């Protein structure tokens, strides 16, 4: 299947700092990328849908000024957690859909954020 | 609001057993359904994708079925192995935009 890469896999930061997580589609062009958040032993919750070249669409309850999403190219989307707080600590996973796919979504390996 | 439910939440079986994981969804007008595997602390690995026009998909020891009218999908794992231990997630796409709604997952433990 297609490969989606996330970086970093692990990040620890202090409260108040900003953290950027990258999501790259390595062998295909992703017209749409999705960002999910997963709490321990829970399922994935969609945060936002990111379309290349346009503003992201955020799900209800997700603060767009806190979770900045940029999808500047067909292979890269970034999620920036601004002014991070301990409650932002979570597992963040991105997924991508290719132009040629039959609807199948491919997921990155996830990024574990810990805010001290 | 679309809801996806997976039963059981956890399952422990001895090695070699055939098993069935269940997924149900509230809206039968789905676009597609995907089964994923997630290992602890890892991302999701796509196992099977079933389009709304299909009834089942098979890959190796895995078989997934789809019954839209009853709002159900099952993932059948044949001859389970300890390496199958993971969380299995069912996700339903309700439109062509591919926004997926996930079930809560089934944590599977296959004991040697």
């Amino acid at each position: 299947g297609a490969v989606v890469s996330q970086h970093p896999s692990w990040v620890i930061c202090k409260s108040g700092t900003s953290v950027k997580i990258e999501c790259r589609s390595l062998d295909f062009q992703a017209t749409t990328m999705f960002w999910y958040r997963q709490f321990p032993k829970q399922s994935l919750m969609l945060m936002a849908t990111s379309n290349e070249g346009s503003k992201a669409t955020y799900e209800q309850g997700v603060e767009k000024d806190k979770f900045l999403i940029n999808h500047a190219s067909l292979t890269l989307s970034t999620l920036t957690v601004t002014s991070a707080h301990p409650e932002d600590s979570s597992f963040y996973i991105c997924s991508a859909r290719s132009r040629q796919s039959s609807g199948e979504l491919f997921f990155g390996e996830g990024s574990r954020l810990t805010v001290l | 609001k679309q809801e996806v439910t997976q039963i059981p939440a956890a399952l422990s079986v001895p090695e070699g057993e055939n098993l069935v994981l269940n997924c149900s969804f509230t809206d039968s007008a789905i676009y597609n359904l995907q089964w994923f595997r997630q290992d602890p602390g890892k991302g999701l690995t796509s196992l099977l994708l079933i389009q709304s026009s299909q009834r089942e998909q098979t890959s190796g020891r895995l078989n997934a079925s789809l019954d839209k009218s009853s709002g159900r999908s099952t993932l059948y794992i044949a001859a389970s192995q300890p390496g199958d231990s993971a969380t299995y997630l069912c996700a339903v796409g309700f439109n062509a935009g591919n926004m997926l709604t996930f079930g809560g997952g089934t944590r599977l433990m296959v004991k040697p």
Side-chain angles (χ1 to χ4, degrees):
Chain A
V3 178
V4 176
S5 174
Q6 273 186 250
H7 176 81
S9 300
W10 296 83
V11 58
I12 300 174
C13 69
K14 294 181 179 180
S15 290
T17 60
S18 294
V19 175
K20 179 184 286 187
I21 300 170
E22 294 185 347
C23 177
R24 294 181 183 273
S25 55
L26 297 186
D27 52 0
F28 66 98
Q29 293 183 328
T31 52
T32 304
M33 289 185 171
F34 303 89
W35 286 96
Y36 291 85
R37 183 173 181 176
Q38 186 178 34
F39 291 103
K41 297 188 178 181
Q42 294 188 24
S43 192
L44 280 72
M45 297 297 295
L46 180 67
M47 298 174 67
T49 302
S50 168
N51 292 299
E52 187 267 336
S54 63
K55 291 183 178 180
T57 301
Y58 290 81
E59 294 300 300
Q60 188 174 7
V62 178
E63 299 176 58
K64 63 179 180 180
D65 294 330
K66 179 163 189 63
F67 298 100
L68 301 178
I69 292 174
N70 182 279
H71 193 161
S73 76
L74 285 172
T75 60
L76 173 65
S77 176
T78 61
L79 167 67
T80 301
V81 182
T82 62
S83 187
H85 290 137
E87 57 264 33
D88 298 326
S89 299
S90 190
F91 193 56
Y92 294 89
I93 308 177
C94 73
S95 70
R97 178 175 71 96
S98 75
R99 288 180 170 181
Q100 291 77 29
S101 81
S102 57
E104 188 172 10
L105 286 180
F106 302 97
F107 283 75
E109 280 293 304
S111 299
R112 171 79 58 194
L113 170 64
T114 300
V115 184
L116 303 177
Chain B
K1 180 183 177 182
Q2 317 296 354
E3 292 186 1
V4 181
T5 305
Q6 288 186 246
I7 296 173
L11 181 63
S12 180
V13 300
E15 181 178 6
E17 273 203 9
N18 302 323
L19 53 97
V20 175
L21 307 181
N22 297 292
C23 173
S24 61
F25 43 93
T26 55
D27 188 343
S28 62
I30 70 170
Y31 184 76
N32 58 25
L33 185 145
Q34 227 172 317
W35 282 94
F36 296 91
R37 168 185 173 141
Q38 185 178 32
D39 293 288
K42 300 292 186 180
L44 276 65
T45 299
S46 179
L47 298 174
L48 290 165
L49 168 68
I50 309 177
Q51 302 292 353
S52 62
S53 59
Q54 298 173 324
R55 284 185 172 265
E56 67 176 348
Q57 284 287 337
T58 298
S59 175
R61 293 183 294 109
L62 304 180
N63 175 277
S65 67
L66 174 64
D67 184 344
K68 287 193 303 179
S69 61
S70 65
R72 296 176 185 275
S73 175
T74 61
L75 178 66
Y76 176 82
I77 302 177
S80 58
Q81 302 171 357
D84 294 331
S85 298
T87 295
Y88 290 81
L89 293 161
C90 164
V92 180
F94 289 99
N95 54 59
N98 279 127
M99 185 190 77
L100 293 179
T101 299
F102 281 82
T106 295
R107 295 188 301 280
L108 173 66
M109 172 73 73
V110 180
K111 298 179 179 179

